[in-house]
Amino acid sequence: MSLVATLLGTAMIAAGVGFLLFAALGLWRLPDTLSRLHALTKADTAGLALVALGAACLSDTPAALLPLGLCALLVAVSGATIGHLIARRLMRRPAA
Amino acid sequence: MMLEFLALGALLATLASLPRLILGPRPADRIAAAQLAGTGTIATIILLGAATGTPALYDMALVFAALAAVTGLAFVALGGRSS
Amino acid sequence: MSPVVLFDAALALGVLGCAALALTLRDRTGTVAAFMLTGLLVALSWLRLGAPDVALAEAAIGAGLTGALFLRGARRLGPLRARPPAPAQAAAAALGAAVLSAALLWAFATAPAESLYPPRVAAALEDSGVSNPVTAVLLNFRAWDTLLEIAVLVVALLLVMTLSPPRVIPDKLGALVQPFARIVVPVAVLVAGHLLWQGAEAPGGAFQAGAVLAGAGLALVLGGVRVDRRVLRRALTALALAGLAVFTLAALASQAVTGALLGYPDGQAKAWIIAIEGALTLSIAATLCLLFTGYGRRSAR
C-alpha cells in the first residue's frame, strides 16, 4: 500500500468522523426540529461517505469497494428519504 | 493507532445523539436521533474493520445500512402520534 | 490509556446508559429509540467480543425490525400515562435484578477457563459440509434445536393469527418513497442472498438473511406497494409455514435415508444445509413481515 493512499485515506476518515461529530452537535444544538433535520440528512451522509471512501483507500483488496460503496449509497438514500418524510409530516401535522 | 482513535471518535459521535434522544421534545426528534446513531454505528463498524484489517466487517456494516430506514419508515407511516 | 480500552469503556457505559433510558424515558417513541440504540451498541459489543455471527443477528433483528414492531405496538397502546411504580414493585424488581447479577457474577467467576465445545466442533467440522463452525452447529450438529426455534416462530405467528390485532393501514408516504424503494429493495435482496450463501464459510445464515429480506418487504409494504392484501397475506402465510414444513420433511427424509434424525448422507451435507437454509430464509422473512402487518379484519383507525 502506498504512503499516499494511506495518508489520503486517513485524512478522509478523519474528516468523515469530524462531519459525524458535527452532525451530532447540530442535532443537539439547533433550535427546532426542521433545522435539526439538516444535521441528519447532510452532515451525516457526507461523514459516512468520507469514512467509506477513506476505508476503501486503506484496504488492500479492490473487493472491499463494493460493500463500502453500497453502504454509502444506502445511508445517503435512507437519510435523505427519512428526513424528507419526517419534514413532510411535520409540515402537515405540526403537533406530531 | 490513528484508526483506533478515529473508531473511538465515531463511537462518541454515535453516543452524542443521546442528548437529543432524551430531550425530544417531539417524537420526530427522538427518531432523528436514533437514525443518526444508526449512521454513527455503521461508521464505527467500518472503522473497526479498517483498524483490525478485517474486510468481513464491511458486510456487517452493509446489513446495518440495508435496515437503516425501516424504523424511520415505520415511524412516519404509523402516524408518529404516539408520544 | 490505549484507544481500545477507552473504546470498550465508552461502549460498556453507553450500553448501560441506553438500557436505563429505554426503561425510564416517559415517552413511547423515546423508549423505542433508546431500545434501538441499545441494540446497535450491543451489536458492536458482540463484535468486540469476537462473535460476528451474534452481532449480525442482533444488527438485523434487534436494531432493525424490532424497532418497527415496537412502534406498531406503541401506536396501538396510545400515549404513556405517568404512573410511577409502587414502592413494593420497585423493591421486588431491584431484588430480582440483584439476585440475577450475583448469579451471573458467580457463574462468570467459577466458569472454567477453557470452553469444552470449540475443540470438539473443530474436530468434526470436516464432516459437517460447511466451514463456518456456527453454521455447522446450527444446521448439522444441533439442527434439532434450530428446528424447534423455527417451530417457536410459527407459534408466534399462530398467536398473531388468533388474537388478530387491528390491521395497520400505513399512511401514504408520497412520491419520494418509490425511488427509495427502487434502490434499497434490490440491494437488500442482494445482501440477503449474499448472507445466505456465505453463511457456509463466514458469518451469516438464514436468520440474518431472512431479517434483511423482511426489512425489504416492510419497505415495500410501508411504501404502499399495490398488491391485493388478501392475496399477499395468503402467499406470505404459505411461505411462513413452508419453512417448518421443509425442515420437518428434511428431518424425516434424513431419518429414512441415514437412520439418524437430521443426520445428512455422507458428502451431501452442504446441499442439504443450503436447501434447508434457503427455505428458512424465505419463511423467516415472511413471518417477520406478517408479524408487522397482522391479520385483523378491523383497521386500526
Side-chain angles (χ1 to χ4, degrees):
Chain A
M1 196 195 318
S2 75
L3 185 67
V4 178
T6 313
L7 281 179
L8 194 67
T10 315
M12 276 201 277
I13 290 178
V17 171
F19 264 104
L20 286 174
L21 285 167
F22 266 99
L25 188 70
L27 190 75
W28 182 9
R29 299 299 304 169
L30 285 172
D32 61 89
T33 312
L34 285 178
S35 9
R36 284 177 209 134
L37 286 177
H38 286 294
L40 176 66
T41 48
K42 297 175 188 79
D44 205 25
T45 306
L48 192 90
L50 280 171
V51 166
L53 213 59
C57 282
L58 294 183
S59 96
D60 309 320
T61 54
L65 267 175
L66 184 66
L68 287 172
L70 281 178
C71 257
L73 174 76
L74 284 174
V75 167
V77 173
S78 305
T81 311
I82 296 296
H84 162 78
L85 289 174
I86 292 179
R88 188 168 168 268
R89 166 156 292 284
L90 285 174
M91 297 307 282
R92 292 191 176 178
R93 240 190 265 175
Chain B
M1 189 67 175
M2 186 65 198
L3 280 176
E4 280 147 8
F5 271 113
L6 287 171
L8 179 63
L11 179 68
L12 291 181
T14 310
L15 293 175
S17 64
L18 277 176
R20 188 44 67 196
L21 200 157
I22 299 167
L23 291 174
R26 289 171 168 172
D29 289 312
R30 303 177 200 264
I31 290 295
Q35 186 84 21
L36 192 73
T39 313
T41 313
I42 297 171
T44 312
I45 294 173
I46 290 179
L47 289 181
L48 280 181
T52 55
T54 40
L57 290 192
Y58 299 158
D59 284 347
M60 194 173 146
L62 194 52
V63 171
F64 271 100
L67 291 168
V70 171
T71 309
L73 270 186
F75 169 75
V76 182
L78 292 178
R81 60 189 168 88
S82 56
S83 59
Chain C
M1 221 190 293
S2 91
V4 178
V5 176
L6 281 175
F7 185 94
D8 290 347
L11 192 54
L13 285 177
V15 169
L16 289 177
C18 288
L21 278 180
L23 290 175
T24 52
L25 275 181
R26 311 303 299 165
D27 171 285
R28 286 208 201 279
T29 314
T31 54
V32 173
F35 177 85
M36 277 181 57
L37 196 45
T38 314
L40 295 172
L41 296 176
V42 166
L44 277 178
S45 313
W46 282 119
L47 210 56
R48 290 289 302 138
L49 291 170
D53 283 273
V54 192
L56 260 180
E58 177 66 38
I61 297 179
L65 290 170
T66 328
L69 285 174
F70 275 167
L71 281 177
R72 183 198 194 285
R75 166 157 161 195
R76 281 202 57 219
L77 291 172
L80 196 64
R81 280 176 202 82
R83 184 175 53 86
Q89 214 176 354
L95 187 69
V99 169
L100 185 63
S101 309
L104 281 174
L105 199 65
W106 175 77
F108 185 72
T110 56
E114 284 287 310
S115 173
L116 293 173
Y117 292 108
R120 300 174 82 178
V121 171
L125 198 57
E126 193 88 337
D127 309 324
S128 72
V130 291
S131 57
N132 175 11
V134 177
T135 305
V137 170
L138 284 182
L139 279 148
N140 197 334
F141 309 143
R142 307 271 307 174
W144 181 236
D145 284 355
T146 311
L147 178 56
L148 291 179
E149 274 170 28
I150 299 300
V152 169
L153 265 183
V154 170
V155 169
L157 189 62
L158 288 178
L159 271 178
V160 170
M161 266 186 217
T162 325
L163 297 173
S164 73
R167 186 153 53 84
V168 162
I169 299 179
D171 292 356
K172 296 233 173 344
L173 294 184
L176 215 71
V177 177
Q178 276 180 10
F180 165 79
R182 277 190 193 129
I183 297 174
V184 170
V185 172
V187 175
V189 171
L190 198 69
V191 171
H194 173 65
L195 283 177
L196 172 63
W197 183 251
Q198 77 159 12
E201 65 253 17
F207 272 93
Q208 293 90 335
V212 172
L213 209 55
L218 280 193
L220 281 179
V221 171
L222 294 173
V225 66
R226 287 171 195 225
V227 191
D228 185 347
R229 269 178 212 292
R230 267 177 301 177
V231 174
L232 185 69
R233 215 182 305 164
R234 275 186 207 144
L236 284 180
T237 310
L239 261 183
L241 299 178
L244 185 61
V246 167
F247 209 158
T248 314
L249 281 177
L252 294 175
S254 63
Q255 170 86 37
V257 174
T258 63
L261 200 64
L262 287 165
Y264 308 124
D266 284 340
Q268 295 173 17
K270 177 155 185 175
W272 283 69
I273 288 177
I274 288 283
I276 293 175
E277 281 213 298
L280 290 188
T281 302
L282 292 176
S283 152
I284 289 166
T287 308
L288 290 173
C289 275
L290 283 172
L291 289 182
F292 186 86
T293 59
Y295 280 90
R297 287 201 181 78
R298 296 163 293 145
S299 70
R301 76 164 100 146

